[in-house]
Amino acid sequence: MFNVEHIRQDFPILKREVNGKPLVYLDNAATSQTPQQVTDVIVDYYSNYNANIHRGVHTLSQEATDAYEQARIKIQKHFNAKFSHEIIFTAGTTHGINLVANGFTTLLKKGDEIIVSELEHHSNIVPWQMLCERTEATLKVIPMNTEGELIMSEYDKLLSANTKLVLVNHISNALGTINPIEYIIKKAHAVGAAVLIDGAQSCPHIKPDVQALDVDFYVTSAHKMCGPTGEGMLYGKEEWLNKLPPYQGGGEMIDKVTFEKTTYAGLPHKFEAGTPNICGGIAFGAAIDYMNGIGFDTVATYEHQLLDYATEQLSEIEGLIIYGTSKNKTSVISFNLEGIHPYDVGTILDKLGIAVRTGHHCAQPIMDFYNIPGTVRASFAFYNTKEEIDTLVKGVKKAKMMLS
Amino acid sequence: MAIQDIQDEIIDEFSMFEDWEERYQYMIDLGKTLPLIDAEYKTDDNLINGCQSKVWVHAEMKDNSVIFTADSDAIITKGIIAILIRSFSNQHPKDILDANTDFIDKIGLKEHLSPTRANGLVSMIKQLKMYAIAYQTQLS
């Protein structure tokens, strides 16, 4: 039985005060908070078996290697990858996207096309623009409608034999829209294109099955799902990972080095040059255990209740406009008060101890679509409460009063 | 009035307030007194980088004094730039360069001084001082 008060005990940070008020943390789409269970794993690593991995014959190195590789298997099982070597540890979603974008440099040529969407985070736009500059491939964009949904009939029109890659987020960070990635993947494969899904915003809410999705690449970050920052993973189908050249050169990623010719290690090490974030990988595994302990169905049901409640309560405030009104969305509400800059609202909310994000959310094309400088974004996690939403609503009303 | 005296006056005004709400309300009110930039100068060239909201600043020299005008699309930011301009406008460029900005701390707006803060108060101060440097060079 899900008991939010019980869950909140796992998160010491939720007990602190900000500006003399109890913290109301509603910036979960930027980063989630860390449960004690994950912090304990981090402390245990540095207190008891901190060592460099893979090459050491000594006991500590062996223990650290085992824990790190077990974390890889946990991630493999969680995402239902066929092999553990299809899981590449990265520094996060952005790193994973850049790794793949770099790899395609030798695989694309002039006349090839790659498709992104209007709903993307800059991390899933800029690396592909850079790839286009290197290869003279062309970037195409799936447009969105006013509800903040991608227009699939327009996507269909963009696909052709020239399409080589399709890059879409699973869930929009700015609006919370859940994209129809099953359809997007199927259609892309029908023209022979590979698909990368940016899962930074989906993994805190749902459990993707990469084999069922038949996706070619799936990337995410640990810190959005109760893990540490600077850690993430790239899933790639074995055949694709074998096709892509290494991203960075260095230790760990080699088979044999001579000045005449270096041969590379097999998967996954080919993409893991240098000493990795060992503790981060192990803690990522612990975060996945923690989330699964609560259960993703439970999380989704509860967060949906929070979303519905918050949408209903905020909508009652006169002059409040919500951006992103798809029926298919996660617990993110992007909004503005008519005639008031989101920065002003965020500043007042901060004084009240309420943490939200303001600005363009690294998704300027979406802001351009709505012709606004930015939004206030409240994003809820399973440890938030209805009472916190009441505090938010009161705070927004106060901001409106002070700023009108 | 000398910059120091103006800043003391601002500190004095803010000292009357008991809590953040009154301070912010006053700052918002001060934003309404900001000498507004002429529409012709409200261009991208006059935007200050490093602010989440837009801030335009224009400067001109009159009788060896720098006159600042500005605007912002966010009203708290407008209040902040109004406080800065009240302190620095109509002053000799050298006095602007020599002036410190401790008074921001003293009026309870210290949190806005952090370089990571999205309103870019630090960038605003830098920009005003850059104008002063440019005019000081013209004079010498």
Side-chain angles (χ1 to χ4, degrees):
Chain A
M1 184 60 197
F2 182 78
N3 178 334
V4 69
E5 286 311 321
H6 184 76
I7 294 281
R8 286 175 72 85
Q9 299 302 315
D10 293 340
F11 295 84
I13 204 168
L14 299 178
K15 293 191 187 86
R16 71 162 283 184
E17 290 193 343
V18 168
N19 290 323
K21 308 271 180 356
L23 167 69
V24 174
Y25 187 76
L26 303 178
D27 194 18
N28 295 286
T31 201
S32 56
Q33 293 303 342
T34 316
Q36 192 60 45
Q37 289 86 335
V38 173
T39 308
D40 286 347
V41 167
I42 295 168
V43 172
D44 181 45
Y45 170 78
Y46 282 113
S47 308
N48 294 310
Y49 61 102
N50 173 36
N52 211 333
I53 52 170
H54 290 145
R55 290 169 306 276
V57 292
H58 61 82
T59 304
L60 288 193
S61 174
Q62 201 53 59
E63 285 177 11
T65 305
D66 287 349
Y68 192 64
E69 290 306 323
Q70 274 165 24
R72 195 192 303 274
I73 292 167
K74 272 180 200 172
I75 296 166
Q76 175 209 348
K77 295 203 165 128
H78 179 76
F79 290 97
N80 193 32
K82 202 166 174 186
F83 307 111
S84 65
H85 60 251
E86 290 177 323
I87 303 298
I88 311 296
F89 280 117
T90 64
T93 304
T94 301
H95 178 202
I97 293 171
N98 276 281
L99 190 158
V100 176
N102 184 76
F104 269 88
T105 307
T106 52
L107 302 177
L108 295 189
K109 58 179 189 318
K110 196 174 176 175
D112 287 342
E113 293 173 357
I114 64 184
I115 298 176
V116 297
S117 91
E118 199 168 9
L119 269 184
E120 298 310 305
H121 187 282
H122 296 162
S123 301
N124 205 22
I125 299 173
V126 183
W128 307 112
Q129 285 176 322
M130 290 162 70
L131 174 64
C132 287
E133 278 172 22
R134 291 194 297 271
T135 60
E136 293 188 62
T138 311
L139 195 74
K140 305 262 173 178
V141 183
I142 311 169
M144 60 186 257
N145 62 23
T146 46
E147 282 77 36
E149 298 163 327
L150 295 178
I151 305 169
M152 284 300 102
S153 55
E154 294 297 322
Y155 170 57
D156 291 344
K157 285 183 214 159
L158 293 177
L159 287 164
S160 77
N162 295 328
T163 312
K164 293 294 180 279
L165 272 170
V166 177
L167 310 314
V168 175
N169 59 32
H170 197 161
I171 292 174
S172 154
N173 75 305
L175 306 180
T177 315
I178 304 173
N179 289 316
I181 62 165
E182 295 81 0
Y183 179 87
I184 290 170
I185 294 166
K186 219 170 120 186
K187 284 288 200 167
H189 285 170
V191 297
V195 181
L196 176 140
I197 299 294
D198 168 357
Q201 294 297 327
S202 50
C203 295
H205 309 289
I206 47 186
K207 190 171 173 173
D209 180 332
V210 292
Q211 287 193 77
L213 287 168
D214 193 27
V215 66
D216 303 290
F217 302 98
Y218 198 98
V219 286
T220 197
S221 299
H223 74 97
K224 307 275 191 196
M225 50 187 301
C226 297
T229 53
E231 182 60 35
M233 75 100 202
L234 154 68
Y235 158 80
K237 278 183 188 164
E238 184 187 47
E239 50 173 309
W240 272 115
L241 292 177
N242 279 329
K243 237 183 260 182
L244 296 189
Y247 180 40
Q248 292 175 319
E252 287 268 349
M253 55 74 76
I254 52 93
D255 169 35
K256 205 173 168 190
V257 176
T258 66
F259 285 110
E260 288 72 39
K261 170 83 183 160
T262 290
T263 52
Y264 304 123
L267 296 175
H269 306 298
K270 175 174 132 183
F271 293 108
E272 295 181 351
T275 298
N277 182 358
I278 303 165
C279 179
I282 296 168
F284 188 6
I288 282 179
D289 283 345
Y290 179 81
M291 297 284 296
N292 280 314
I294 297 169
F296 279 83
D297 289 341
T298 310
V299 164
T301 309
Y302 180 70
E303 287 177 345
H304 234 277
Q305 288 168 9
L306 291 181
L307 174 67
D308 289 346
Y309 181 68
T311 306
E312 187 191 296
Q313 294 296 311
L314 286 170
S315 301
E316 282 177 18
I317 299 175
E318 207 183 313
L320 187 141
I321 308 148
I322 293 177
Y323 301 93
T325 48
S326 172
K327 284 189 192 73
N328 219 359
K329 65 180 271 190
T330 47
S331 46
V332 168
I333 301 181
S334 239
F335 66 91
N336 273 332
L337 289 168
E338 215 170 354
I340 300 176
H341 199 283
Y343 166 77
D344 286 327
V345 180
T347 303
I348 300 296
L349 292 179
D350 175 58
K351 299 303 287 183
L352 297 166
I354 305 165
V356 292
R357 190 143 292 248
T358 62
H360 54 60
H361 315 298
C362 294
Q364 283 175 352
I366 301 178
M367 303 304 132
D368 291 345
F369 177 90
Y370 290 115
N371 196 22
I372 49 176
T375 68
V376 180
R377 182 188 69 184
S379 50
F380 314 109
F382 56 89
Y383 44 72
N384 288 126
T385 63
K386 278 191 172 179
E387 291 73 24
E388 288 181 308
I389 291 169
D390 292 337
T391 308
L392 168 71
V393 171
K394 262 191 232 156
V396 173
K397 284 180 182 163
K398 187 175 193 78
K400 189 184 161 192
M401 198 184 73
M402 287 183 73
L403 298 164
S404 297
Chain B
M1 215 191 294
I3 292 179
Q4 190 58 53
D5 295 334
I6 298 171
Q7 293 185 349
D8 287 344
E9 193 181 75
I10 296 171
I11 293 168
D12 198 43
E13 288 166 17
F14 271 86
S15 70
M16 295 185 301
F17 304 123
E18 308 232 312
D19 59 13
W20 72 270
E21 225 180 299
E22 290 178 348
R23 279 201 308 276
Y24 271 68
Q25 201 62 64
Y26 187 58
M27 192 156 63
I28 290 165
D29 291 342
L30 286 179
K32 293 169 190 160
T33 68
L34 173 72
L36 282 182
I37 189 168
D38 272 350
E40 62 174 308
Y41 298 124
K42 222 168 153 179
T43 59
D44 285 355
D45 285 346
N46 285 329
L47 273 176
I48 295 180
N49 289 323
C51 308
Q52 207 178 82
S53 48
K54 286 186 172 171
V55 185
W56 298 266
V57 172
H58 174 69
E60 59 189 41
M61 182 108 106
K62 225 176 193 174
D63 304 330
N64 291 346
S65 289
V66 186
I67 313 232
F68 291 110
T69 53
D71 200 3
S72 171
D73 58 351
I75 86 176
I76 292 173
T77 314
K78 212 165 157 176
I80 293 170
I81 190 79
I83 291 168
L84 288 177
I85 284 186
R86 181 168 150 198
S87 149
F88 289 149
S89 201
N90 289 308
Q91 301 290 340
H92 191 277
K94 188 168 184 311
D95 293 337
I96 298 171
L97 286 175
D98 291 344
N100 70 44
T101 48
D102 292 357
F103 78 109
I104 295 290
D105 191 353
K106 292 183 187 146
I107 60 177
L109 299 175
K110 192 185 173 188
E111 69 239 34
H112 293 281
L113 274 177
S114 149
T116 56
R117 189 80 196 185
N119 69 40
L121 175 58
V122 174
S123 311
M124 291 183 215
I125 294 170
K126 203 172 138 195
Q127 189 59 42
L128 299 184
K129 295 225 173 197
M130 289 295 280
Y131 276 119
I133 290 174
Y135 286 121
Q136 177 64 15
T137 317
Q138 271 183 25
L139 288 177
S140 53

